[in-house]
Amino acid sequence: MSTDPSTSSGADTPVPTCYRHPGRETYVRCTRCDRYICPECMRDASVGHQCVECVADGNKSVRRPTTTLGARVPTSDTPVVTYSLIGLCVVAYVAELASVKFFSDFLMVGKAVDQFGVPIAGVGVAEGEWWRLFTSMFLHQRPSGGSFGITHILFNMWALWALGPALERALGRWRFLALYLLSGLGGNVLLYLVDPTGSAVGASGAIFGLFGAFFIIARKFGGQVGPIVFLLVINLVITFSVPGISWEGHIGGLVTGALLALAFVYAPANRRQAVHVGASLGMLVLLVALVVVKTSQVTSGAA
């Protein structure tokens, strides 16, 4: 800190004032730019004080720490994306409880047919309702809508709460969000390819993508994989043994999540960001292309 002791040099000597607040007298200068600063504009530095602008300029040159996978270490420990996804699923569940139409308008169905197998015009992905590929991953079975009812959303939200924070910290927010959404999309795309007249709801495809990614990341960095393998095996057994469960959604999400995790984990350090973005965009393009091809087949009667 530097000061000007000449406080009694005469009436002709101007009294120094803060460069940001001209009406405030001060004799303290910024140790970096040497401008006068008042107490409100002072920021503690290793030596003396600095003004707010010099502190901001200094922070720009400081690199934020990153995780092993290249994600910036968040300034807060709160898993914002995980909690936001849980919140969206809960809000959607309340909406579908209040309106059956909300549920039917946003569930996943490729080409809707009636009980006699006659196509229903205007309903399904093949009829231009492409948003069903995304919106369905936020819906869950209604209490009277199947073998599981409310336990469907309870288990999926528990799994997201259990796995999400760790993956979000390791991958960073945008990678984690891409992993979740693309895994859910991958599950719905596989259902569309295998059974275009089938329907499904749930975050299970995205959750299975998290299972696959957690296994890949833990295996790469020497973490314990036993618990996630056990959980995955149990869920696969349930998937193929309980009627009414979309195995396509689960397997599609698992494969998509595992492939993305492989790209995230094994990307060269000097090109990590480009590979991560490229892998995410490449997966999206691939899934969209598969939907376009299948839609062409369905609409032409070749499905």
Side-chain angles (χ1 to χ4, degrees):
M1 178 176 69
S2 59
T3 60
D4 187 349
S6 57
T7 58
S8 57
S9 57
D12 295 335
T13 303
V15 177
T17 59
C18 175
Y19 83 98
R20 295 180 73 228
H21 303 95
R24 300 179 184 178
E25 298 180 6
T26 181
Y27 292 94
V28 180
R29 297 183 182 182
C30 171
T31 56
R32 188 171 180 178
C33 67
D34 207 37
R35 291 180 293 188
Y36 286 100
I37 49 178
C38 67
E40 182 180 337
C41 300
M42 295 178 190
R43 300 295 183 267
D44 290 334
S46 57
V47 177
H49 299 84
Q50 292 185 7
C51 65
V52 291
E53 292 182 8
C54 287
V55 170
D57 288 340
N59 289 336
K60 292 178 181 179
S61 62
V62 177
R63 294 188 60 183
R64 287 179 56 183
T66 59
T67 67
T68 307
L69 296 177
R72 287 185 176 181
V73 175
T75 56
S76 171
D77 291 333
T78 303
V80 176
V81 176
T82 298
Y83 289 168
S84 297
L85 292 172
I86 292 175
L88 286 173
C89 288
V90 171
V91 169
Y93 193 69
V94 172
E96 66 184 74
L97 290 179
S99 171
V100 176
K101 188 176 186 301
F102 180 88
F103 180 79
S104 61
D105 283 349
F106 295 105
L107 62 83
M108 171 57 198
V109 59
K111 177 67 175 178
V113 296
D114 61 21
Q115 58 183 335
F116 303 106
V118 178
I120 302 175
V123 179
V125 175
E127 294 291 317
E129 296 181 332
W130 55 268
W131 58 83
R132 292 178 180 269
L133 292 162
F134 294 94
T135 56
S136 60
M137 71 179 77
F138 295 99
L139 302 179
H140 289 83
Q141 287 182 356
R142 293 161 56 85
S144 59
S147 305
F148 293 99
I150 195 171
T151 59
H152 188 210
I153 186 173
L154 291 178
F155 173 78
N156 280 341
M157 295 304 97
W158 170 82
L160 179 53
W161 174 81
L163 298 177
L167 286 171
E168 185 174 340
R169 283 193 295 270
L171 295 172
R173 291 173 179 172
W174 80 259
R175 293 175 184 83
F176 175 70
L177 182 61
L179 171 71
Y180 186 91
L181 295 178
L182 289 172
S183 295
L185 177 61
N188 285 333
V189 169
L190 184 59
L191 172 63
Y192 187 39
L193 296 177
V194 175
D195 183 15
T197 60
S199 60
V201 293
S204 301
I207 298 300
F208 267 75
L210 300 188
F211 287 159
F214 196 97
F215 174 81
I216 296 296
I217 294 173
R219 185 70 180 271
K220 168 65 175 178
F221 297 108
Q224 293 186 350
V225 297
I228 196 68
V229 169
F230 176 79
L231 188 60
L232 180 57
V233 169
I234 291 298
N235 278 274
L236 287 175
V237 170
I238 295 174
T239 296
F240 289 101
S241 61
V242 177
I245 294 181
S246 171
W247 66 265
E248 300 93 343
H250 293 184
I251 299 302
L254 177 63
V255 172
T256 302
L259 290 176
L260 281 174
L262 286 171
F264 291 160
V265 167
Y266 291 100
N270 60 340
R271 292 187 296 153
R272 184 180 287 126
Q273 186 80 1
V275 172
H276 290 180
V277 173
S280 301
L281 292 178
M283 180 62 71
L284 177 62
V285 170
L286 172 61
L287 294 175
V288 169
L290 291 173
V291 170
V292 171
V293 171
K294 187 62 180 180
T295 298
S296 177
Q297 294 175 352
V298 171
T299 55
S300 64

